[in-house]
Amino acid sequence: MTRTRLAMVLCLALGVCLPAFARAQDKDPAQTVISVCTRCHTPARICKNLGVKDQDAWDATVSHMIRNGAKLDAADKPGLVSWLASRKPGDKPVCN
């Protein structure tokens, strides 16, 4: 058995690969904003930038927040950035 195949079998046998992949695919970006971003920022602060920042600006913002300690999995960042960039001012659930 090749090393790659052995590693894959062990990974699957331990149930590590698939659950981690499923978690990354199933994350709701809105819930991520509520659970991660609002640890330090009010929803109003986040809301005022919806519809203002584009994809690149949100990417820079999220990268900055991660460097400052935001607990966000790297696999969740692209979906979160896309979701934030696609929101309009006043969009729920971030804006009340």
Side-chain angles (χ1 to χ4, degrees):
M1 193 177 277
T2 66
R3 292 175 105 182
T4 304
R5 194 171 275 161
L6 179 60
M8 186 179 198
V9 169
L10 287 173
C11 186
L12 292 173
L14 294 173
V16 174
C17 292
L18 292 177
F21 179 75
R23 282 193 303 273
Q25 299 299 315
D26 293 340
K27 292 273 178 122
D28 174 21
Q31 187 56 43
T32 301
V33 169
I34 292 166
S35 65
V36 175
C37 303
T38 61
R39 287 180 183 172
C40 298
H41 304 292
T42 64
R45 181 173 180 166
I46 300 163
C47 186
K48 77 177 184 173
N49 289 299
L50 297 180
V52 175
K53 291 186 177 187
D54 65 7
Q55 183 94 10
D56 291 336
W58 277 116
D59 189 75
T61 298
V62 173
S63 293
H64 179 76
M65 294 302 109
I66 291 170
R67 284 192 306 274
N68 284 326
K71 303 297 183 205
L72 181 69
D73 293 332
D76 296 332
K77 183 184 171 199
L80 177 63
V81 168
S82 293
W83 186 86
L84 287 165
S86 70
R87 299 297 97 190
K88 293 180 174 51
D91 275 0
K92 296 189 183 311
V94 178
C95 307
N96 293 324

